[in-house]
Amino acid sequence: MNTSKKSDIISRFLSPAVKLWIRTQVEFTRDLDILIDAGDKQILSGKINQINLTAKEANYQGILINYASVSTENIAVNLGGILRGKPLKLLHPIFVSGNVVITAQELKTSLQSSLLTQGLTDMLKILLENEGIKNAEEIIKKYKIEWNGIMIETQKMTITGELINSLDNSINHLTIISNLDIKDEQKLVLTNVQIDGFKDLNNSVIDDLVIDLGNDVSLSELTISSQELHCVGKIKVVS
């Protein structure tokens, strides 16, 4: 197979298939650029050496992303199916590495995302359990939680919401303030955590809390300013 034929397969089949697959993962994106590195034999066997992509203004399950630059290596795809017009499928999980930027305003807007709000609720559950509160999940279920604000400063985040009691509809204003950092690439460290408005905690202050991110996520950098959140790392992706 000559070079022009290889380029034809990449431009006519692989690139559109990768773009289509990405658009199934994100709701929309602007200025999506993809660079595919694959040799002759690798293409014929459905293997891709490397994919690099950049995107602006992406929306991942309701979480707005200002800019993303990511890459992945040693990708196995269903080339035969792609050539017959079928969607791209990963034949095995891959790790995607890169950096992501989310502005302060995008973070606030992302509070409409169930993915983010559930993550915040899960974090509250971990904070309750850390303080020795039993049946934390059952306690949280007594409330409807409406997260309504996120403010970021240098390595610090303030999260606000309303706790609506499901029994009497009484409302408590909840505020969580914490410094954020990373440790050993797979641990998120919350320090000087202040929780106000959750009566079961009685306005607690937590000096140090480490949250294990698991083996599917690795963070090498987490930089927070008043303007944006910048994250560098990798995540496991399964088709």
Side-chain angles (χ1 to χ4, degrees), residues 30 34 37 89 129 137 151 153 158 191 195 211 234:
R30 184 172 69 84
I34 297 176
D37 176 20
K89 289 185 179 180
E129 291 173 340
E137 188 171 353
M151 184 178 71
E153 306 172 60
T158 300
T191 56
I195 306 172
I211 299 176
K234 64 181 180 180

Side-chain angles (χ1 to χ4, degrees), residues 177-189:
I177 304 173
S178 177
N179 295 327
L180 296 173
D181 210 339
I182 52 175
K183 178 183 179 181
D184 301 330
E185 298 196 350
Q186 291 180 318
K187 294 180 176 64
L188 181 65
V189 182

